[in-house]
Every structure is written in structure tokens, then in C-alpha cells.
Amino acid sequence: MLLSVRGLRRLHLAASFDLVSGECVALRGPSGAGKTQLLRALADLDPNEGAVLLEGTASEAIPAPLWRGRVVYLAAEPGWWADTVGEHFPSWSSAAALAERLGLPAACGVWPIQQLSTGERLRLALVRALVSVPPPGPRVLLLDEPTAGLDEVAKAAAEALIAERRAATGMGVLWVTHDATQAGRVARRWLLVRNGLLEESPAPP
Amino acid sequence: MTYIQLNALDLALPALLVVLNGTLSVALQLGLERQLAAAALRMVVQLALVGYVLRVLFELGSPCWTGVAALVMVAAAAHEIGARQARPLARGRAFGLGAGCALAAAGSVTALALLTQIRPEPWYDPHYALPLLGMVLGNTMTGIALGLDALTTGAVRDRAAIEARLALGATRQVAMLPVTRAALRAGSMPIVNSMAVAGLVSLPGMMTGQILAGAEPVEAAKYQILIMFLIAGGTGLGTVAAVLGGVYLLSDGRHRLRLDRLGARKNAA
């Protein structure tokens, strides 16, 4: 089992589920249901109760920075701490190829963050999540509406990139989306947050 | 030493200047007149009282009572440090951090000066110990208050950036480095400024006091230089300790940003 979640509690939400290697599970639910809270708790960014195990090892048994290097959370509104794009990557040369695949020019490494559009920020943050953590890279990727506001071409490119990475490395993905068609496209299993509980859904909800 | 004594009328006349400020506040609708009146009144009462308190402490010359006075001063500084934060650390953390850092920094610097440079007999002579501590403590307090305020407001403002780094496996020290640096700069700025302009733009208060009391200007300048070094040392140590302590309290052992440990937003005084 790649990721096991047992009785995870954060605020008004309780969750138990499993994720196998290479699997993508779509997570849906109304705004304010606690989807983001769940992803943050899985990345151990907020105090929480319950057990989260990565390949059998509980999160508390692993130093938090190491845990987050394996269970990587990508926020819906990603943050930036330096002035230019390239400064946010360990090495821009390794990131440039992925940025190009998502429809950005390789030269965007020198662009100032202030001038980026929302769509550019989302795509660059996705690349950052894939290349910034130490090898072997993310084991689980927690995506919070990673393609919200992207055009169809960019959306398809992002979906393809993530699918490819899953197939190549066995990375698992928990994907929050409000788009039912996308949920059907990217995942074969669907989870629904309802009344503070996480339920399996037989079809894209 | 001879100096010109002041009587009550000598103080009443300049008090009119504060009344003038209040009148301007009313005329310009700044809404500051109440605060101004309260602050002026507090200043008069506190200074008058401290005059009498110091007279008693000097007569006693007791190490115990000098120590008690020093602790009261530190507690007042810690209270002010909390009061000057837009969003202070909650549940007494701001007071505890402020008191601990102000006491350690201002206390050690003052003790150093008493034991090695000024060397009064006995070393804790309240004539020297209390004014010296007061000057160092007042500036250390300002440094700590500015540093902590910059840290907490920076952490709230840059939350997304800090958590983006944490989410990529950075430690809390690395993730909070930019706000930590900004906070240390903010806390150190006043003392850097006042050292840079001392004697050029401003004649520092203690030197002015000594000159008014009849001291030789060159001797007064030497004292002032010593005090400036002490203040710089105390402010630097206190600000670094408080800001690093603040980083520690604003995060936890699992390297999470804990903004829930901040109190409710209020308007900084």
C-alpha cells in the first residue's frame, strides 16, 4: 500500500482511505467541505489526529521536512518567495523542459513573479512540485485544483504530464477538482466529502 | 555640580505645548487628543513617582531592592513589547518572550558595564545600575517590539510563500528565513540610525543631561559613547534572541507554521 489513511481528523472532517502505487484518486465535494484541510493534514501542514502511513511508515516516525518531500502538497494558490521564476527551482535547467511541455517558454526562468498570470503560476507551481524535492521525487502528490482556470490545451498537457509521471515512478495522486469531466478523465476512483465524512463514489460525482 | 533648579511654573509653561498639540488634533480631527492627554499625564505621574522611588532606593542602597526595581522595569518593558504588536503571540507568549529576552540582553550588558567599565563601589550601586539599565532596557525594548512586530506581520502576509517552501520539504528555519531577516533589520534600524546621527543631528539625552548638570562636555561625550555601545549591544542581542524565539514559537516541532498562536488583530499603539 502506498498511502494508508486511518481515522485522520482535522477540524470537522474525518477520513480513512488507501491509495495504491501509481493510482490517481479524484476528490470532490462542495466548497468549504474540507478538501483543502484534508490535503494539508496529509502533508502534515496542520495539527491533526489519526494515522497516515507512507509505504507502512507512520508520518510521526519520519521528520516532517522529509515527509513533505515525499507527500507533496500543491496549494490552490501557490506561494512565491523570490523575485524571479528561476529562483524558485533548485536548478532551472532541469525545470525548463517540463515548463515547455506545459506551454511556457524555456526562457521564462528570468520572468519576474509579479508579472505572471494565474495560469502561468499554476503551471510553474506544478513543475516546482515535481522537480524540487530530493530524489526519488514525490511518492504522493496532493493536488488542490491544479488546473483551475487553465485553457483546454494547457489542462490536457498538465494531465498528461502527471499521468506519465505516475506510470514511470508509481507516484500516487490525490486530485481535488470541481470539474466532473476532469475527475472522470484523470481518475478511476472517486472520493466525495459529504457532511464531514469521506465516501467512495461509484462514478465521477 | 551646580545647575538651574526648576519649579512648578517652569514645568507648567512647556505643558502648554502639549495643550497646543491637543488643540491642533481637535482642529484637524485627528482624534489623538485623548491619547495625547493620557500619555502626557502618564508621563508626568510616572516620572514624578520614579523621582521619589529612586530617592528612596538610593538611600537604601540595598541589592535586594535594586534587584526588585530592575525586575519591575523589565516587566513593564515586556508589557509594552506585547502592547506594541499588531498581532502579538497569544497566551502570555509575547510577554514571556519579551521579558526573557529583555532581561537577558539588557541585564547582561548592564552588568558587564558595571563590572568592567564603570566599576562603582559596590558594583550594584543603584545610582549607576538603575539609570544604566533603564537606558539599555528602553532601547532593547524598542528593538524587540519592532523585530517581533515585523516577524508576526511578515509571517501573516507571507504565509503562502512560507508554506510553499514547507510543503516542498524545507525546514521552518529555511522557510521563515526571509521574514526572519526582515524582522532583524527592522529591530536593529533605530539603534543604527541613532548611532549614525549622534552628535550631528541629535545630542543624546544622557549627554545633554550631564551637560545641563554642569559636567565637562568631553567627559559627557565619553559616557555617551559607552552608553551607545551598551545600547547597541543590548538591542542587538535582545532583538536576535526575541526574533529567533519568535520563529520557534510561530512554528512547531513538525515544522508547521502556527499562525493560530497569534492573538486577534488590534491596532498597534
Side-chain angles (χ1 to χ4, degrees):
Chain A
M1 195 59 63
L2 181 63
L3 189 76
S4 302
V5 181
R6 294 283 168 272
L8 180 69
R9 298 189 73 86
R10 166 68 189 155
L11 302 180
H12 55 282
L13 186 76
S16 293
F17 66 95
D18 290 318
L19 197 65
V20 298
S21 185
E23 188 182 25
C24 178
V25 173
L27 179 63
R28 302 198 62 222
S31 298
K35 302 184 294 296
T36 298
Q37 293 296 335
L38 175 62
L39 295 195
R40 288 177 56 91
L42 291 172
D44 207 6
L45 280 167
D46 288 318
N48 56 75
E49 293 165 40
V52 185
L53 295 93
L54 180 70
E55 286 160 339
T57 312
S59 58
E60 309 92 71
I62 300 179
L66 212 57
W67 176 264
R68 292 188 203 115
R70 296 178 188 167
V71 180
V72 179
Y73 165 64
L74 177 55
E77 288 176 15
W80 306 90
W81 56 86
D83 293 331
T84 64
V85 170
E87 291 172 85
H88 293 87
F89 294 81
S91 101
W92 175 247
S93 51
S94 64
L98 292 184
E100 277 189 297
R101 281 200 53 185
L102 296 183
L104 295 158
C108 71
V110 297
W111 287 0
I113 292 294
Q114 292 298 330
Q115 289 175 17
L116 297 180
S117 73
T118 309
E120 286 163 344
R121 282 170 199 246
L122 282 174
R123 283 177 283 171
L124 286 165
L126 176 59
V127 173
R128 189 175 66 180
L130 289 174
V131 304
S132 291
V133 301
R139 298 300 298 132
V140 176
L141 196 54
L142 307 167
L143 300 173
D144 198 349
E145 301 192 57
T147 61
L150 292 189
D151 64 46
E152 293 307 318
V153 178
K155 206 178 270 185
E159 288 172 9
L161 180 63
I162 292 163
E164 200 175 283
R165 185 60 78 99
R166 278 167 45 213
T169 68
M171 175 181 82
V173 176
L174 190 57
W175 191 317
V176 170
T177 176
H178 278 294
D179 177 350
T181 357
Q182 185 177 50
R185 237 180 4 247
V186 300
R188 291 289 164 272
R189 255 176 81 206
W190 304 277
L191 293 172
L192 188 66
V193 184
R194 192 153 48 192
N195 303 325
L197 287 171
L198 203 60
E199 301 168 358
E200 293 269 350
S201 171
Chain B
M1 275 189 274
T2 56
Y3 55 92
I4 302 162
Q5 302 263 353
L6 297 178
N7 60 33
L9 188 66
D10 295 329
L11 297 181
L13 220 54
L16 287 178
L17 294 173
V18 178
V19 175
L20 175 69
N21 282 354
T23 317
L24 283 174
S25 166
V26 174
L28 298 172
Q29 299 183 342
L30 303 181
L32 280 174
E33 57 277 4
R34 276 171 176 278
Q35 269 179 288
L36 193 67
L41 200 66
R42 247 185 90 169
M43 182 270 292
V44 170
V45 173
Q46 284 165 193
L47 287 182
L49 276 179
V50 88
Y52 288 106
V53 171
L54 284 177
R55 182 190 281 175
V56 174
L57 284 170
F58 290 172
E59 279 166 10
L60 288 171
S62 132
C64 275
W65 285 111
T66 307
V68 168
L71 286 180
V72 169
M73 289 159 73
V74 169
H79 174 78
E80 284 300 316
I81 287 169
R84 290 188 199 183
Q85 311 291 311
R87 286 196 65 180
L89 285 155
R91 290 212 224 145
R93 287 188 175 100
F95 183 88
L97 184 64
C101 296
L103 179 64
S108 60
V109 165
T110 306
L112 175 84
L114 288 172
L115 290 168
T116 65
Q117 284 102 43
I118 302 176
R119 279 173 298 196
E121 214 28 75
W123 71 272
Y124 54 80
D125 184 350
H127 274 101
Y128 293 89
L130 292 180
L132 213 54
L133 178 68
M135 279 186 286
V136 177
L137 189 59
N139 287 277
T140 304
M141 174 190 83
T142 305
I144 292 177
L146 289 174
L148 284 181
D149 191 49
L151 179 72
T152 51
T153 50
V156 171
R157 185 194 56 223
D158 296 343
R159 177 186 174 178
I162 293 167
E163 291 202 320
R165 295 185 97 166
L166 291 175
L168 293 171
T171 61
R172 51 176 159 171
Q173 291 83 359
V174 169
M176 293 182 75
L177 195 58
V179 287
T180 308
R181 286 213 178 104
L184 290 174
R185 270 198 298 272
S188 313
M189 210 42 82
I191 181 61
V192 172
N193 284 342
S194 64
M195 281 201 292
V197 303
L200 206 61
V201 179
S202 66
L203 274 187
M206 192 200 69
M207 184 173 163
T208 313
Q210 281 193 309
I211 293 173
L212 287 180
E216 215 275 312
V218 175
E219 285 306 310
K222 280 194 214 160
Y223 250 92
Q224 189 62 54
I225 291 169
L226 170 67
I227 295 298
M228 279 295 195
F229 285 150
L230 296 179
I231 288 174
T235 308
L237 290 176
T239 306
V240 168
V243 168
L244 295 185
V247 168
Y248 185 80
L249 291 176
L250 266 182
S251 55
D252 64 20
R254 294 294 293 170
H255 297 262
R256 304 169 181 127
L257 182 63
R258 296 297 299 272
L259 294 181
D260 56 311
R261 291 181 181 167
L262 291 178
R265 176 169 289 281
K266 63 176 183 188
N267 291 322

Coordinates of all heavy atoms in Angstrom, one line a residue, chain B residues 1-4 207-217 220:
Chain B
M1 N 28.5 70.0 41.7 CA 27.9 70.5 40.4 C 26.8 71.5 40.7 O 26.0 71.3 41.6 CB 27.4 69.3 39.6 CG 28.5 68.6 38.9 SD 27.9 67.4 37.7 CE 27.8 65.9 38.8
T2 N 26.7 72.5 39.9 CA 25.6 73.5 40.0 C 24.8 73.4 38.8 O 25.3 73.2 37.7 CB 26.2 74.9 40.2 OG1 27.0 75.1 39.1 CG2 27.0 75.1 41.5
Y3 N 23.5 73.5 39.0 CA 22.6 73.6 37.8 C 21.4 74.4 38.2 O 21.1 74.5 39.4 CB 22.2 72.2 37.3 CG 21.6 71.3 38.3 CD1 20.3 71.2 38.5 CD2 22.4 70.5 39.1 CE1 19.7 70.4 39.4 CE2 21.9 69.6 40.1 CZ 20.5 69.6 40.2 OH 20.0 68.8 41.1
I4 N 20.7 74.8 37.2 CA 19.5 75.7 37.5 C 18.3 74.8 37.9 O 17.9 73.9 37.2 CB 19.1 76.5 36.2 CG1 20.3 77.3 35.7 CG2 17.9 77.3 36.4 CD1 20.3 77.8 34.3
M207 N 23.8 62.7 27.6 CA 24.9 63.7 27.4 C 24.3 65.1 27.7 O 24.9 65.9 28.4 CB 25.4 63.5 26.0 CG 26.6 64.4 25.8 SD 27.3 64.0 24.2 CE 28.3 65.5 23.9
T208 N 23.2 65.3 27.1 CA 22.5 66.6 27.3 C 22.3 66.8 28.8 O 22.6 67.9 29.4 CB 21.2 66.7 26.6 OG1 21.4 66.2 25.3 CG2 20.6 68.1 26.6
G209 N 21.8 65.8 29.5 CA 21.5 65.9 30.9 C 22.8 66.2 31.7 O 22.8 67.1 32.6
Q210 N 23.9 65.5 31.4 CA 25.1 65.7 32.1 C 25.6 67.1 31.9 O 26.1 67.8 32.8 CB 26.2 64.7 31.6 CG 26.0 63.4 32.3 CD 27.2 62.5 32.1 OE1 27.7 62.3 31.0 NE2 27.7 61.9 33.2
I211 N 25.5 67.6 30.6 CA 26.0 69.0 30.3 C 25.1 70.0 31.1 O 25.7 70.9 31.7 CB 26.0 69.2 28.8 CG1 27.0 68.3 28.1 CG2 26.3 70.7 28.5 CD1 27.0 68.4 26.6
L212 N 23.8 69.8 31.1 CA 22.9 70.7 31.8 C 23.3 70.7 33.3 O 23.1 71.7 34.0 CB 21.5 70.4 31.6 CG 20.9 70.7 30.3 CD1 19.4 70.2 30.2 CD2 21.0 72.2 30.0
A213 N 23.7 69.5 33.8 CA 24.0 69.4 35.2 C 25.4 69.9 35.5 O 25.9 69.8 36.7 CB 23.9 68.0 35.7
G214 N 26.1 70.4 34.5 CA 27.4 71.1 34.8 C 28.6 70.3 34.4 O 29.7 70.7 34.8
A215 N 28.4 69.1 33.8 CA 29.6 68.2 33.5 C 30.4 68.8 32.4 O 29.9 69.6 31.5 CB 29.2 66.8 33.2
E216 N 31.6 68.4 32.3 CA 32.5 68.8 31.2 C 32.1 68.1 29.9 O 31.9 66.9 30.0 CB 33.9 68.4 31.7 CG 35.0 69.4 31.2 CD 35.5 69.1 29.8 OE1 35.7 67.9 29.5 OE2 35.5 70.0 29.0
P217 N 31.9 68.8 28.8 CA 31.3 68.2 27.6 C 32.1 67.0 27.1 O 31.5 66.0 26.7 CB 31.4 69.3 26.6 CG 31.3 70.6 27.4 CD 32.0 70.3 28.7
A220 N 31.2 64.1 29.3 CA 29.9 63.7 29.0 C 29.8 62.9 27.7 O 29.1 61.9 27.6 CB 29.0 64.9 28.9

